[in-house]
Amino acid sequence: MPDKYHIQTRPVTPRRPRIGKFGIVDWREDCCRCHHCVKNACVYDRYRQEAEYIRHLRRVDALFFDCMGCFCCVQECTKGLLCMGINPVYEGLGNCYWTPDIIRTTWAQAETAKIPVSGAGYRGPFSGPGFDGMWTDMSEIVRPTRDGIHGREYISTAVDIGRKPGFLGFDQTGLKTSMPPLVMIQMPLIIDLQPAQFSLPDLRPLTCETARRTDTLVVADATDWAVWNENAGGRLTHVVFHIGDGATLPEHVLREVRLVEVSDGPDVAERIAAIKKVNPDLVVCVRVVLDGDGCRRAVELAQTDVVDVLHIRADLNGNEIGVERPRFLKEMIREVHTALIDSGRRDEITLIAGGGIALPEHMAKAIICGADLVSVELPLMVGLECHLCDSCRPGLPCPAELEEIDPAYGVGRMTNLIAAWHDQLIEVMGAMGMREVRRLRGDVGRCMFFEQLEEETFGKLFGRRKNA
Ligand code: SF4
Ligand code: SF4
Ligand code: SF4
Protein backbone atom coordinates (compact mmCIF):
# COMPACT_ATOMS: atom_id res chain seq x y z
CA MET A 1 0.00 0.00 0.00
CA PRO A 2 1.44 3.44 -0.88
CA ASP A 3 2.30 5.84 1.94
CA LYS A 4 -0.46 8.17 3.09
CA TYR A 5 -0.23 11.66 1.67
CA HIS A 6 1.20 13.87 4.37
CA ILE A 7 2.74 17.34 4.16
CA GLN A 8 5.61 18.05 6.54
CA THR A 9 5.07 21.40 8.27
CA ARG A 10 6.65 23.51 10.99
CA PRO A 11 5.51 26.84 12.46
CA VAL A 12 6.84 29.86 10.57
CA THR A 13 6.43 33.03 12.62
CA PRO A 14 5.55 36.34 10.93
CA ARG A 15 8.34 38.79 10.12
CA ARG A 16 6.18 41.84 10.76
CA PRO A 17 4.09 42.84 13.81
CA ARG A 18 0.72 41.11 13.67
CA ILE A 19 -2.18 43.15 12.34
CA GLY A 20 -4.98 42.07 14.65
CA LYS A 21 -8.61 43.08 14.47
CA PHE A 22 -9.52 44.24 17.97
CA GLY A 23 -7.78 46.40 20.51
CA ILE A 24 -8.90 47.58 23.94
CA VAL A 25 -8.84 51.31 24.75
CA ASP A 26 -8.06 51.74 28.41
CA TRP A 27 -8.80 55.10 30.19
CA ARG A 28 -6.46 54.60 33.11
CA GLU A 29 -6.88 57.98 34.76
CA ASP A 30 -10.29 57.09 36.25
CA CYS A 31 -9.30 53.64 37.34
CA CYS A 32 -10.16 52.91 40.99
CA ARG A 33 -7.64 50.08 41.35
CA CYS A 34 -10.20 47.39 42.13
CA HIS A 35 -8.91 44.45 44.08
CA HIS A 36 -10.04 41.99 41.41
CA CYS A 37 -9.39 43.89 38.23
CA VAL A 38 -11.07 42.39 35.14
CA LYS A 39 -7.80 42.63 33.27
CA ASN A 40 -6.38 39.78 35.29
CA ALA A 41 -9.37 37.65 34.31
CA CYS A 42 -8.76 37.85 30.52
CA VAL A 43 -8.71 34.20 29.51
CA TYR A 44 -6.28 35.01 26.70
CA ASP A 45 -4.01 36.98 29.04
CA ARG A 46 -3.89 39.85 26.59
CA TYR A 47 -3.11 42.60 29.07
CA ARG A 48 0.09 41.01 30.29
CA GLN A 49 1.05 40.24 26.68
CA GLU A 50 0.40 43.84 25.73
CA ALA A 51 2.72 45.10 28.48
CA GLU A 52 5.40 42.70 27.27
CA TYR A 53 4.82 43.73 23.66
CA ILE A 54 5.14 47.43 24.42
CA ARG A 55 8.35 46.83 26.37
CA HIS A 56 10.00 45.39 23.25
CA LEU A 57 8.36 47.68 20.71
CA ARG A 58 10.69 48.62 17.86
CA ARG A 59 8.29 50.40 15.54
CA VAL A 60 5.92 53.18 16.43
CA ASP A 61 3.35 52.10 13.84
CA ALA A 62 2.80 48.70 15.42
CA LEU A 63 0.20 48.98 18.17
CA PHE A 64 -1.05 45.92 20.00
CA PHE A 65 -4.25 44.64 18.40
CA ASP A 66 -4.47 41.07 19.53
CA CYS A 67 -7.59 40.99 21.67
CA MET A 68 -9.98 38.14 20.86
CA GLY A 69 -13.06 40.34 21.17
CA CYS A 70 -14.87 38.35 23.86
CA PHE A 71 -16.06 41.60 25.52
CA CYS A 72 -15.57 40.19 29.06
CA CYS A 73 -13.34 42.97 30.33
CA VAL A 74 -15.36 45.67 28.56
CA GLN A 75 -18.58 44.53 30.22
CA GLU A 76 -17.15 43.77 33.67
CA CYS A 77 -14.97 46.81 34.41
CA THR A 78 -16.61 48.39 37.46
CA LYS A 79 -16.14 51.91 36.15
CA GLY A 80 -16.81 51.17 32.48
CA LEU A 81 -13.36 52.42 31.52
CA LEU A 82 -12.61 49.91 28.82
CA CYS A 83 -13.87 49.98 25.29
CA MET A 84 -13.06 47.94 22.24
CA GLY A 85 -11.83 49.38 18.97
CA ILE A 86 -11.27 47.90 15.53
CA ASN A 87 -7.82 48.35 14.08
CA PRO A 88 -8.06 50.77 11.12
CA VAL A 89 -5.07 49.09 9.45
CA TYR A 90 -6.93 45.79 9.66
CA GLU A 91 -10.00 47.29 8.03
CA GLY A 92 -7.84 48.57 5.17
CA LEU A 93 -6.59 45.09 4.23
CA GLY A 94 -7.66 43.50 0.94
CA ASN A 95 -10.83 44.50 -0.85
CA CYS A 96 -14.55 43.72 -0.88
CA TYR A 97 -13.92 40.10 -1.90
CA TRP A 98 -10.56 39.39 -0.23
CA THR A 99 -11.84 40.64 3.11
CA PRO A 100 -9.66 41.37 6.15
CA ASP A 101 -11.08 38.23 7.80
CA ILE A 102 -9.95 36.07 4.86
CA ILE A 103 -6.51 37.66 4.98
CA ARG A 104 -6.18 37.21 8.73
CA THR A 105 -7.23 33.57 8.67
CA THR A 106 -4.83 32.90 5.77
CA TRP A 107 -1.98 34.46 7.75
CA ALA A 108 -2.79 32.23 10.72
CA GLN A 109 -2.85 29.08 8.58
CA ALA A 110 0.42 29.98 6.85
CA GLU A 111 2.02 30.48 10.26
CA THR A 112 0.79 27.40 12.07
CA ALA A 113 -0.47 24.98 9.35
CA LYS A 114 -3.44 24.45 11.64
CA ILE A 115 -7.15 24.62 10.99
CA PRO A 116 -8.37 28.03 12.18
CA VAL A 117 -10.90 28.04 15.01
CA SER A 118 -13.37 30.89 14.79
CA GLY A 119 -15.10 30.25 18.12
CA ALA A 120 -18.72 30.59 19.08
CA GLY A 121 -21.10 33.48 18.77
CA TYR A 122 -23.03 35.18 16.02
CA ARG A 123 -20.65 36.40 13.31
CA GLY A 124 -23.06 38.03 10.92
CA PRO A 125 -25.44 36.80 8.24
CA PHE A 126 -25.41 33.08 7.49
CA SER A 127 -25.39 33.58 3.75
CA GLY A 128 -23.96 36.04 1.30
CA PRO A 129 -22.85 36.40 -2.29
CA GLY A 130 -20.65 33.93 -4.12
CA PHE A 131 -19.58 30.83 -2.24
CA ASP A 132 -21.28 32.15 0.93
CA GLY A 133 -24.61 31.28 -0.70
CA MET A 134 -23.71 27.56 -0.46
CA TRP A 135 -23.90 25.49 2.71
CA THR A 136 -22.24 22.12 2.82
CA ASP A 137 -24.19 19.28 4.39
CA MET A 138 -22.13 18.08 7.36
CA SER A 139 -24.70 15.64 8.68
CA GLU A 140 -23.34 12.49 7.08
CA ILE A 141 -20.38 11.76 9.32
CA VAL A 142 -19.90 8.02 9.72
CA ARG A 143 -17.30 5.94 11.48
CA PRO A 144 -14.82 5.42 8.58
CA THR A 145 -14.79 9.08 7.63
CA ARG A 146 -14.55 10.27 11.22
CA ASP A 147 -11.58 7.95 11.61
CA GLY A 148 -10.26 9.38 8.34
CA ILE A 149 -10.12 12.84 9.91
CA HIS A 150 -7.98 11.44 12.73
CA GLY A 151 -5.73 9.46 10.41
CA ARG A 152 -6.89 5.95 11.35
CA GLU A 153 -8.60 5.51 7.97
CA TYR A 154 -7.62 7.07 4.68
CA ILE A 155 -9.57 9.84 2.99
CA SER A 156 -8.15 10.31 -0.50
CA THR A 157 -7.75 13.79 -1.92
CA ALA A 158 -5.92 12.62 -5.03
CA VAL A 159 -7.19 13.67 -8.47
CA ASP A 160 -6.30 12.65 -12.03
CA ILE A 161 -5.69 15.27 -14.68
CA GLY A 162 -6.18 14.19 -18.28
CA ARG A 163 -8.63 12.48 -20.56
CA LYS A 164 -10.33 9.35 -19.29
CA PRO A 165 -11.85 6.85 -21.72
CA GLY A 166 -15.65 6.86 -21.86
CA PHE A 167 -15.70 3.06 -21.61
CA LEU A 168 -13.26 0.16 -21.45
CA GLY A 169 -13.10 -2.56 -24.12
CA PHE A 170 -11.81 -6.08 -23.45
CA ASP A 171 -11.12 -9.16 -25.55
CA GLN A 172 -9.79 -12.59 -24.61
CA THR A 173 -6.30 -11.20 -24.19
CA GLY A 174 -7.35 -8.43 -21.79
CA LEU A 175 -7.82 -4.67 -22.01
CA LYS A 176 -8.16 -3.43 -25.58
CA THR A 177 -8.74 0.27 -24.91
CA SER A 178 -5.57 2.33 -25.07
CA MET A 179 -5.27 4.42 -21.90
CA PRO A 180 -4.51 8.10 -22.42
CA PRO A 181 -1.79 9.71 -20.26
CA LEU A 182 -2.90 10.94 -16.83
CA VAL A 183 -1.20 13.13 -14.24
CA MET A 184 -2.12 12.30 -10.65
CA ILE A 185 -1.63 14.85 -7.88
CA GLN A 186 -2.43 14.33 -4.21
CA MET A 187 -4.45 17.48 -3.69
CA PRO A 188 -7.24 18.95 -5.86
CA LEU A 189 -5.33 22.20 -6.14
CA ILE A 190 -2.70 23.65 -8.44
CA ILE A 191 -0.84 26.94 -8.14
CA ASP A 192 -1.72 29.33 -10.95
CA LEU A 193 0.24 32.07 -12.71
CA GLN A 194 1.09 35.05 -10.55
CA PRO A 195 -1.40 37.82 -11.46
CA ALA A 196 0.05 40.77 -13.37
CA GLN A 197 -1.29 43.34 -10.90
CA PHE A 198 0.43 41.61 -7.94
CA SER A 199 3.81 41.03 -9.43
CA LEU A 200 6.04 42.85 -6.94
CA PRO A 201 7.87 39.91 -5.36
CA ASP A 202 9.30 37.23 -7.63
CA LEU A 203 7.62 34.12 -6.25
CA ARG A 204 8.91 31.72 -8.89
CA PRO A 205 11.56 29.94 -6.79
CA LEU A 206 9.15 29.71 -3.84
CA THR A 207 6.15 28.34 -5.71
CA CYS A 208 8.37 25.88 -7.56
CA GLU A 209 9.72 24.38 -4.34
CA THR A 210 6.28 24.50 -2.65
CA ALA A 211 4.73 22.54 -5.53
CA ARG A 212 7.45 19.92 -5.20
CA ARG A 213 7.03 19.60 -1.42
CA THR A 214 3.25 19.36 -1.54
CA ASP A 215 3.18 17.19 -4.67
CA THR A 216 1.05 19.61 -6.63
CA LEU A 217 1.70 21.60 -9.82
CA VAL A 218 2.56 25.20 -10.53
CA VAL A 219 1.59 27.00 -13.74
CA ALA A 220 4.48 29.00 -15.20
CA ASP A 221 4.90 31.29 -18.18
CA ALA A 222 6.56 29.35 -21.00
CA THR A 223 8.64 32.37 -22.00
CA ASP A 224 10.46 32.02 -18.63
CA TRP A 225 11.18 28.32 -19.02
CA ALA A 226 14.93 28.77 -18.50
CA VAL A 227 14.39 30.51 -15.12
CA TRP A 228 12.00 27.78 -14.00
CA ASN A 229 14.38 25.11 -15.19
CA GLU A 230 17.09 26.65 -13.02
CA ASN A 231 14.73 27.04 -10.02
CA ALA A 232 13.60 23.45 -10.33
CA GLY A 233 17.15 22.16 -10.62
CA GLY A 234 16.28 20.63 -14.00
CA ARG A 235 13.37 18.58 -12.53
CA LEU A 236 10.32 20.07 -14.21
CA THR A 237 7.77 17.41 -13.25
CA HIS A 238 5.86 19.83 -11.01
CA VAL A 239 5.83 22.70 -13.50
CA VAL A 240 3.01 23.28 -16.01
CA PHE A 241 4.15 25.68 -18.70
CA HIS A 242 1.50 28.04 -19.98
CA ILE A 243 2.11 28.55 -23.70
CA GLY A 244 0.48 31.78 -24.76
CA ASP A 245 -0.22 32.95 -28.30
CA GLY A 246 2.98 32.92 -30.34
CA ALA A 247 5.06 31.38 -27.50
CA THR A 248 6.89 28.08 -27.86
CA LEU A 249 8.72 25.62 -25.65
CA PRO A 250 11.91 23.82 -26.69
CA GLU A 251 11.34 20.19 -27.56
CA HIS A 252 13.55 18.87 -24.76
CA VAL A 253 11.36 20.77 -22.23
CA LEU A 254 8.19 19.36 -23.80
CA ARG A 255 9.63 15.89 -23.26
CA GLU A 256 10.40 16.56 -19.60
CA VAL A 257 7.11 18.01 -18.33
CA ARG A 258 3.94 16.02 -17.63
CA LEU A 259 1.35 18.69 -18.41
CA VAL A 260 1.30 21.90 -20.43
CA GLU A 261 -1.35 24.56 -20.80
CA VAL A 262 -2.15 26.46 -24.00
CA SER A 263 -4.19 29.61 -24.32
CA ASP A 264 -7.44 29.33 -26.25
CA GLY A 265 -7.65 30.52 -29.84
CA PRO A 266 -8.89 29.55 -33.29
CA ASP A 267 -5.80 27.38 -33.95
CA VAL A 268 -5.86 25.57 -30.60
CA ALA A 269 -6.35 22.11 -32.17
CA GLU A 270 -3.29 22.54 -34.41
CA ARG A 271 -1.17 23.77 -31.50
CA ILE A 272 -2.17 20.79 -29.36
CA ALA A 273 -1.43 18.40 -32.26
CA ALA A 274 2.03 19.98 -32.71
CA ILE A 275 2.81 19.55 -28.99
CA LYS A 276 1.58 15.95 -28.92
CA LYS A 277 3.69 15.18 -31.98
CA VAL A 278 6.78 15.98 -29.91
CA ASN A 279 5.57 14.14 -26.79
CA PRO A 280 2.45 11.95 -27.17
CA ASP A 281 2.48 11.21 -23.41
CA LEU A 282 1.94 14.84 -22.51
CA VAL A 283 -1.39 15.96 -21.08
CA VAL A 284 -2.48 19.25 -22.66
CA CYS A 285 -4.81 21.69 -20.96
CA VAL A 286 -6.61 24.63 -22.59
CA ARG A 287 -7.07 27.80 -20.58
CA VAL A 288 -10.45 29.40 -21.21
CA VAL A 289 -11.12 32.90 -19.91
CA LEU A 290 -14.61 33.13 -18.43
CA ASP A 291 -15.80 36.21 -20.26
CA GLY A 292 -19.31 36.54 -21.70
CA ASP A 293 -18.63 33.67 -24.12
CA GLY A 294 -16.38 31.59 -21.84
CA CYS A 295 -18.85 28.89 -20.75
CA ARG A 296 -20.08 28.26 -24.29
CA ARG A 297 -16.52 28.06 -25.55
CA ALA A 298 -15.49 25.65 -22.78
CA VAL A 299 -18.37 23.31 -23.64
CA GLU A 300 -17.54 23.59 -27.35
CA LEU A 301 -13.89 22.67 -26.75
CA ALA A 302 -14.91 19.71 -24.60
CA GLN A 303 -16.86 18.24 -27.53
CA THR A 304 -13.67 17.93 -29.59
CA ASP A 305 -11.45 14.90 -29.15
CA VAL A 306 -8.26 16.94 -28.93
CA VAL A 307 -8.87 18.66 -25.58
CA ASP A 308 -8.10 16.62 -22.45
CA VAL A 309 -8.29 19.26 -19.76
CA LEU A 310 -10.06 22.61 -19.47
CA HIS A 311 -8.85 25.33 -17.13
CA ILE A 312 -11.65 27.89 -16.79
CA ARG A 313 -10.61 31.16 -15.19
CA ALA A 314 -12.79 33.91 -13.77
CA ASP A 315 -11.22 37.15 -12.50
CA LEU A 316 -9.41 37.32 -9.16
CA ASN A 317 -12.70 37.93 -7.34
CA GLY A 318 -14.42 34.98 -9.03
CA ASN A 319 -16.50 37.12 -11.39
CA GLU A 320 -17.25 36.75 -15.07
CA ILE A 321 -14.94 39.03 -17.05
CA GLY A 322 -15.99 41.99 -19.19
CA VAL A 323 -19.76 41.81 -18.74
CA GLU A 324 -22.08 44.31 -17.13
CA ARG A 325 -23.77 41.85 -14.75
CA PRO A 326 -21.11 39.23 -14.05
CA ARG A 327 -22.00 35.80 -12.78
CA PHE A 328 -19.97 34.21 -10.03
CA LEU A 329 -17.59 31.30 -10.57
CA LYS A 330 -19.88 28.74 -8.94
CA GLU A 331 -22.69 29.41 -11.41
CA MET A 332 -20.27 29.17 -14.35
CA ILE A 333 -18.78 25.89 -13.12
CA ARG A 334 -22.29 24.46 -12.76
CA GLU A 335 -23.23 25.58 -16.26
CA VAL A 336 -20.17 23.95 -17.86
CA HIS A 337 -20.47 20.81 -15.73
CA THR A 338 -24.16 20.21 -16.47
CA ALA A 339 -23.70 20.96 -20.19
CA LEU A 340 -20.95 18.32 -20.30
CA ILE A 341 -23.17 15.81 -18.49
CA ASP A 342 -25.96 16.49 -21.00
CA SER A 343 -23.59 15.85 -23.89
CA GLY A 344 -22.25 12.66 -22.29
CA ARG A 345 -18.70 14.01 -22.15
CA ARG A 346 -18.29 14.91 -18.50
CA ASP A 347 -16.34 11.88 -17.33
CA GLU A 348 -13.85 12.19 -20.16
CA ILE A 349 -12.76 15.75 -19.47
CA THR A 350 -10.91 17.18 -16.47
CA LEU A 351 -12.21 20.56 -15.39
CA ILE A 352 -9.96 22.93 -13.44
CA ALA A 353 -11.65 26.07 -12.10
CA GLY A 354 -9.89 29.19 -10.88
CA GLY A 355 -10.49 32.78 -9.84
CA GLY A 356 -11.85 33.77 -6.45
CA ILE A 357 -10.74 30.60 -4.63
CA ALA A 358 -9.79 32.29 -1.37
CA LEU A 359 -10.53 29.73 1.33
CA PRO A 360 -10.38 25.94 1.60
CA GLU A 361 -14.17 25.83 1.78
CA HIS A 362 -14.22 27.48 -1.67
CA MET A 363 -12.11 24.59 -2.98
CA ALA A 364 -14.63 22.05 -1.62
CA LYS A 365 -17.60 24.07 -2.90
CA ALA A 366 -16.11 24.50 -6.38
CA ILE A 367 -15.65 20.72 -6.55
CA ILE A 368 -19.25 20.17 -5.42
CA CYS A 369 -20.34 22.54 -8.21
CA GLY A 370 -18.58 20.32 -10.75
CA ALA A 371 -14.86 21.15 -10.95
CA ASP A 372 -12.37 18.30 -10.60
CA LEU A 373 -9.84 20.59 -8.99
CA VAL A 374 -9.13 24.29 -8.50
CA SER A 375 -6.31 26.71 -9.22
CA VAL A 376 -5.19 29.32 -6.70
CA GLU A 377 -2.86 32.27 -6.87
CA LEU A 378 -3.49 35.05 -4.32
CA PRO A 379 -3.84 32.85 -1.19
CA LEU A 380 -0.18 31.87 -1.44
CA MET A 381 0.82 35.53 -1.68
CA VAL A 382 -1.39 36.40 1.27
CA GLY A 383 0.29 33.60 3.19
CA LEU A 384 3.50 35.65 2.94
CA GLU A 385 1.83 38.47 4.95
CA CYS A 386 0.84 40.36 1.80
CA HIS A 387 -1.94 42.92 2.35
CA LEU A 388 -3.30 42.76 -1.23
CA CYS A 389 -3.00 46.50 -1.47
CA ASP A 390 -3.75 48.29 -4.74
CA SER A 391 -0.28 49.82 -5.16
CA CYS A 392 1.75 46.73 -5.94
CA ARG A 393 4.26 48.21 -8.33
CA PRO A 394 8.05 48.33 -8.51
CA GLY A 395 9.31 51.55 -6.96
CA LEU A 396 6.47 51.80 -4.43
CA PRO A 397 7.01 50.61 -0.85
CA CYS A 398 5.63 47.18 0.01
CA PRO A 399 4.00 47.31 3.47
CA ALA A 400 4.73 43.63 3.96
CA GLU A 401 8.38 44.05 2.87
CA LEU A 402 8.03 41.06 0.61
CA GLU A 403 11.14 41.90 -1.40
CA GLU A 404 13.21 40.80 1.58
CA ILE A 405 11.83 37.35 2.34
CA ASP A 406 14.14 34.38 2.49
CA PRO A 407 13.27 31.06 0.79
CA ALA A 408 12.88 29.09 4.04
CA TYR A 409 10.26 31.55 5.25
CA GLY A 410 8.42 31.74 1.90
CA VAL A 411 8.34 28.03 1.15
CA GLY A 412 7.54 27.21 4.78
CA ARG A 413 4.52 29.54 4.86
CA MET A 414 3.18 28.39 1.49
CA THR A 415 3.59 24.74 2.44
CA ASN A 416 1.84 25.34 5.77
CA LEU A 417 -1.06 26.99 3.99
CA ILE A 418 -1.54 24.11 1.55
CA ALA A 419 -1.32 21.63 4.44
CA ALA A 420 -3.99 23.55 6.38
CA TRP A 421 -6.23 23.57 3.28
CA HIS A 422 -5.71 19.83 2.87
CA ASP A 423 -6.69 19.19 6.50
CA GLN A 424 -9.81 21.30 6.10
CA LEU A 425 -10.81 19.47 2.93
CA ILE A 426 -10.52 16.23 4.87
CA GLU A 427 -12.64 17.70 7.68
CA VAL A 428 -15.37 18.72 5.23
CA MET A 429 -15.29 15.39 3.41
CA GLY A 430 -15.27 13.48 6.68
CA ALA A 431 -18.33 15.36 7.89
CA MET A 432 -20.07 14.58 4.59
CA GLY A 433 -19.27 10.89 4.84
CA MET A 434 -16.95 11.03 1.79
CA ARG A 435 -13.71 9.10 1.48
CA GLU A 436 -12.72 10.10 -2.02
CA VAL A 437 -12.55 13.62 -3.44
CA ARG A 438 -13.16 12.32 -6.97
CA ARG A 439 -16.65 11.32 -5.81
CA LEU A 440 -17.37 14.77 -4.44
CA ARG A 441 -17.25 16.29 -7.93
CA GLY A 442 -20.68 17.60 -8.90
CA ASP A 443 -22.38 15.99 -5.89
CA VAL A 444 -24.75 18.89 -5.25
CA GLY A 445 -26.79 16.64 -2.94
CA ARG A 446 -24.04 17.35 -0.39
CA CYS A 447 -24.92 21.02 -0.14
CA MET A 448 -27.73 23.53 -0.16
CA PHE A 449 -27.91 26.63 -2.29
CA PHE A 450 -29.37 29.67 -0.57
CA GLU A 451 -30.95 31.08 -3.75
CA GLN A 452 -32.65 27.76 -4.47
CA LEU A 453 -34.00 27.39 -0.91
CA GLU A 454 -35.21 30.97 -0.87
CA GLU A 455 -36.95 30.53 -4.19
CA GLU A 456 -38.63 27.32 -3.10
CA THR A 457 -39.72 28.76 0.23
CA PHE A 458 -40.63 32.36 -0.51
CA GLY A 459 -40.74 32.46 -4.30
CA LYS A 460 -44.37 31.33 -4.39
CA LEU A 461 -45.36 34.18 -2.10
CA PHE A 462 -43.12 37.04 -3.19
CA GLY A 463 -41.82 36.11 -6.65
CA ARG A 464 -38.17 36.11 -7.71
CA ARG A 465 -35.60 38.14 -5.79
CA LYS A 466 -34.52 41.20 -7.74
CA ASN A 467 -30.79 41.78 -7.72
CA ALA A 468 -29.48 45.33 -7.72
S1 SF4 B 1 -11.91 46.76 36.76
FE1 SF4 B 1 -11.78 48.70 35.65
S2 SF4 B 1 -11.77 50.24 37.26
FE2 SF4 B 1 -11.30 48.32 38.25
S3 SF4 B 1 -9.06 48.20 38.29
FE3 SF4 B 1 -9.74 47.16 36.42
S4 SF4 B 1 -9.71 48.78 34.86
FE4 SF4 B 1 -9.63 49.79 36.83
S1 SF4 C 1 -12.16 41.57 25.29
FE1 SF4 C 1 -11.73 39.51 26.04
S2 SF4 C 1 -9.88 38.87 24.93
FE2 SF4 C 1 -10.04 41.08 24.71
S3 SF4 C 1 -8.75 41.87 26.34
FE3 SF4 C 1 -10.87 41.81 27.13
S4 SF4 C 1 -11.06 39.85 28.18
FE4 SF4 C 1 -9.21 39.76 26.90
S1 SF4 D 1 1.77 43.94 0.43
FE1 SF4 D 1 1.01 45.19 -1.27
S2 SF4 D 1 2.84 45.91 -2.33
FE2 SF4 D 1 3.48 44.19 -1.03
S3 SF4 D 1 3.36 42.40 -2.36
FE3 SF4 D 1 1.40 42.55 -1.28
S4 SF4 D 1 0.06 43.71 -2.69
FE4 SF4 D 1 2.20 44.03 -3.37
Side-chain angles (χ1 to χ4, degrees), residues 22-24 38-39 41-47 66-74 82 84:
F22 300 112
I24 295 292
V38 287
K39 293 179 183 175
C42 171
V43 289
Y44 301 102
D45 207 14
R46 289 303 190 243
Y47 286 96
D66 224 359
C67 156
M68 299 300 282
C70 74
F71 271 107
C72 273
C73 62
V74 176
L82 307 176
M84 190 183 295

Side-chain angles (χ1 to χ4, degrees), residues 26 30-39 76-82:
D26 180 355
D30 282 337
C31 176
C32 61
R33 304 275 184 264
C34 311
H35 198 56
H36 295 295
C37 175
V38 287
K39 293 179 183 175
E76 302 292 324
C77 171
T78 50
K79 294 202 72 180
L81 296 184
L82 307 176

Side-chain angles (χ1 to χ4, degrees), residues 178-358:
S178 65
M179 299 302 284
L182 279 182
V183 175
M184 188 170 90
I185 54 173
Q186 294 294 334
M187 174 88 180
L189 171 149
I190 61 170
I191 304 169
D192 204 1
L193 293 165
Q194 198 174 348
Q197 61 268 51
F198 294 106
S199 58
L200 189 55
D202 180 6
L203 301 181
R204 287 175 297 189
L206 308 181
T207 47
C208 190
E209 177 59 15
T210 304
R212 193 191 62 76
R213 282 196 196 178
T214 56
D215 193 18
T216 182
L217 300 165
V218 54
V219 184
D221 194 332
T223 54
D224 295 341
W225 73 266
V227 180
W228 284 91
N229 194 34
E230 195 183 319
N231 286 331
R235 295 194 308 273
L236 289 169
T237 45
H238 293 283
V239 181
V240 179
F241 284 110
H242 171 81
I243 308 175
D245 266 348
T248 51
L249 263 183
E251 291 195 357
H252 74 273
V253 178
L254 282 177
R255 285 197 199 92
E256 260 175 61
V257 291
R258 296 184 288 169
L259 176 66
V260 290
E261 180 180 90
V262 294
S263 54
D264 187 21
D267 59 345
V268 71
E270 293 84 60
R271 289 166 66 208
I272 293 174
I275 290 168
K276 293 227 173 187
K277 201 170 159 198
V278 177
N279 182 359
D281 289 334
L282 199 55
V283 179
V284 183
C285 167
V286 180
R287 188 182 190 94
V288 180
V289 175
L290 287 174
D291 53 17
D293 192 38
C295 291
R296 187 205 61 77
R297 177 64 180 155
V299 175
E300 181 184 61
L301 283 170
Q303 308 307 320
T304 66
D305 286 333
V306 289
V307 177
D308 306 330
V309 184
L310 286 168
H311 183 187
I312 52 173
R313 279 288 317 184
D315 71 9
L316 292 176
N317 296 346
N319 291 323
E320 201 171 8
I321 298 165
V323 295
E324 202 179 324
R325 296 167 76 89
R327 290 174 298 163
F328 189 68
L329 181 66
K330 78 174 195 285
E331 281 94 45
M332 295 186 280
I333 298 173
R334 290 190 79 187
E335 182 182 326
V336 174
H337 174 71
T338 45
L340 293 184
I341 290 175
D342 291 344
S343 65
R345 288 274 179 159
R346 181 62 193 93
D347 285 335
E348 295 171 30
I349 298 286
T350 304
L351 187 62
I352 308 174
I357 306 292

Side-chain angles (χ1 to χ4, degrees), residues 69-140:
C70 74
F71 271 107
C72 273
C73 62
V74 176
Q75 286 175 327
E76 302 292 324
C77 171
T78 50
K79 294 202 72 180
L81 296 184
L82 307 176
C83 61
M84 190 183 295
I86 294 190
N87 185 355
V89 179
Y90 176 83
E91 289 187 301
L93 295 172
N95 58 32
C96 60
Y97 185 82
W98 296 83
T99 59
D101 283 349
I102 289 179
I103 292 178
R104 184 173 61 154
T105 187
T106 305
W107 286 346
Q109 290 168 72
E111 178 181 348
T112 62
K114 289 189 177 150
I115 298 174
V117 180
S118 54
Y122 177 64
R123 297 186 167 266
F126 292 110
S127 79
F131 285 118
D132 290 342
M134 271 177 88
W135 304 315
T136 47
D137 179 359
M138 307 284 217
S139 63
E140 298 287 331

